[in-house]
Amino acid sequence: MQKQFELSGAMRFSVAPMVDVTDSVFRRLARLFSKKSMLYTEMIAADAVIHGKNYLLEFHDEELPCVLQLGGSDPKKLAAAAKIGAGFGYTEINLNAGCPSDKVQSGNFGAVLMKTPDLIADCVKAMQDAVSVPVTVKTRIGVDEDDSVDFTLKLVETIAATGCRHVILHARKAWLNGLSPKENRTIPPLDYERVYLVKSAFPNLRITINGGITTIDAVKDQLKRVDGVMLGRAIIDNPFILSKVDSEIFGSIEPMPSREELLYKAVDLAAKIKAEGIPVHHLMRHLLGLFNSCPGARLYRRYLSEHMTQLGAGPDVLIKAYKSMTDARKQEGNYGN
């Protein structure tokens, strides 16, 4: 009998798993901007989990709801890793079947799995048998020459047959050879209509769309056609987007914080992580785009970039970066008098 899982309402908006980005420090920062969004870990290899690298799984309670994304192609190893991850308290476990990086390909997982949909199904079933939380899949609409509508529908049908109730679709194909991971995020054309077709074909399956979505208005438009929207690089470029999610996507009545309020919350978080022995640049690198499109943003970014990695850097770097921007604004104002 297939398990029936209760999927989190947070899936309406999620921040994509991103290697070297969505670590615990990033997720703690993201929670200052949005309490309701679904967050993800970086993709973590099942082998690393089962070989005792538990530090990769550690998180703080405020990061929840949070999904552990696993990479691998061995059902038994993925099941063991999922069980360990569920024991840590993650909200859901996600299988990466869409990452096209060379490192992932050499391990025979990520987007390579799309060439063997039955193996994806075997992995999902093994993970489901091992845990009592939902198991989901993140994949793409095609891979290499396997890029037809029929291929996409068959892929999703195979995943859905396991009892998996939530599939995240990056609305691009993946090229395993010839394109870098960065190029794979931009060169293969977006095909949102293909994702909408999947949703129509599987009305009882929760479908989240990912790829090329950069504004809250665009998120709202997508939610008219699918169940959830996932943003990745747009959050890195402009983290302030996250501050709008709770009110505009989830209907929260809490007032939306200003950029300045968020900056001073981040100052407090910087003090906490520094006390934990974590260099503050691990946090501040995610704040470089906080004032994008604001007057003086370039000065803020430059000060932060030049000072956050210096030996002994502390929370005051954020304050001084902000002051460099506001001082410039005042001077410009004076020149206009």
Side-chain angles (χ1 to χ4, degrees), residues 98 100 111 114 140-147 170-192 194 210-212:
M114 296 176 69
R140 291 197 175 210
I141 58 173
V143 57
D144 292 340
E145 301 304 328
D146 293 321
D147 188 33
H170 187 144
R172 288 185 173 94
K173 67 182 291 185
W175 281 109
L176 297 183
N177 296 300
L179 294 182
S180 69
K182 181 178 180 180
E183 291 169 331
N184 258 301
R185 292 194 299 268
T186 56
I187 292 178
L190 287 161
D191 189 350
Y192 293 147
R194 180 92 59 93
N210 174 224

Side-chain angles (χ1 to χ4, degrees), residues 136 143 180 233 253 257:
T136 66
V143 57
S180 69
R233 300 292 157 178
I253 60 173

Side-chain angles (χ1 to χ4, degrees), residues 33-315:
F33 290 66
S34 170
K35 302 298 183 188
K36 298 182 179 295
S37 300
M38 182 67 84
L39 303 180
Y40 277 69
T41 67
E42 303 172 80
M43 183 186 67
I44 301 174
D47 278 341
V49 175
I50 63 179
H51 289 140
K53 295 184 178 180
N54 287 354
Y55 65 90
L56 295 171
L57 301 180
E58 293 173 353
F59 65 89
H60 293 74
D61 288 345
E62 65 262 30
E63 297 170 38
L64 295 171
C66 184
V67 180
L68 168 62
Q69 188 184 70
L70 293 174
S73 58
D74 184 317
K76 290 182 179 179
K77 289 182 177 180
L78 282 164
K83 186 172 183 178
I84 294 169
F88 271 75
Y90 283 97
T91 309
E92 298 174 4
I93 310 294
N94 178 263
L95 175 64
N96 183 314
C99 178
S101 75
D102 292 341
K103 182 178 180 180
V104 168
Q105 288 184 52
S106 66
N108 197 35
F109 54 95
V112 174
L113 284 174
M114 296 176 69
K115 292 181 174 291
T116 52
D118 289 339
L119 179 55
I120 296 178
D122 289 342
C123 293
V124 171
K125 285 185 285 188
M127 294 162 74
Q128 287 176 331
D129 288 343
V131 301
S132 59
V133 298
V135 175
T136 66
V137 176
K138 186 175 189 294
T139 188
R140 291 197 175 210
I141 58 173
V143 57
D144 292 340
E145 301 304 328
D146 293 321
D147 188 33
S148 66
V149 171
D150 286 344
F151 172 83
T152 307
L153 292 174
K154 182 63 177 177
L155 173 67
V156 175
E157 180 183 34
T158 303
I159 294 170
T162 68
C164 173
R165 293 174 54 208
H166 184 196
V167 177
I168 300 98
L169 286 172
H170 187 144
R172 288 185 173 94
K173 67 182 291 185
W175 281 109
L176 297 183
N177 296 300
L179 294 182
S180 69
K182 181 178 180 180
E183 291 169 331
N184 258 301
R185 292 194 299 268
T186 56
I187 292 178
L190 287 161
D191 189 350
Y192 293 147
E193 292 297 328
R194 180 92 59 93
V195 180
Y196 305 153
L197 181 61
V198 170
K199 178 59 189 176
S200 297
F202 301 93
N204 296 322
L205 193 63
R206 305 295 179 90
I207 299 295
T208 289
I209 194 167
N210 174 224
I213 303 161
T214 60
T215 68
I216 292 298
D217 285 342
V219 170
K220 291 177 179 178
D221 287 341
Q222 292 288 351
L223 286 173
K224 297 173 185 176
R225 306 291 299 271
V226 292
D227 302 292
V229 181
M230 175 179 279
L231 266 63
R233 300 292 157 178
I235 300 297
I236 302 306
D237 294 339
N238 182 13
F240 191 61
I241 290 174
L242 260 184
S243 69
K244 303 177 182 180
V245 169
D246 289 3
S247 59
E248 298 200 30
I249 304 302
F250 292 99
S252 173
I253 60 173
E254 294 292 324
M256 191 180 79
S258 67
R259 296 176 202 260
E260 291 78 8
E261 289 170 334
L262 291 167
L263 179 120
Y264 280 100
K265 288 182 179 181
V267 169
D268 292 340
L269 180 56
K272 289 180 182 177
I273 71 163
K274 184 174 174 64
E276 294 166 9
I278 302 171
V280 294
H281 73 266
H282 287 276
L283 173 74
M284 294 180 185
R285 66 191 180 105
H286 302 305
L287 290 163
L288 287 167
L290 179 58
F291 292 95
N292 277 0
S293 77
C294 297
R298 181 179 56 83
L299 295 172
Y300 163 83
R301 287 193 302 271
R302 185 171 70 188
Y303 188 96
L304 203 55
S305 297
E306 291 175 353
H307 293 85
M308 66 182 181
T309 57
Q310 291 182 353
L311 186 64

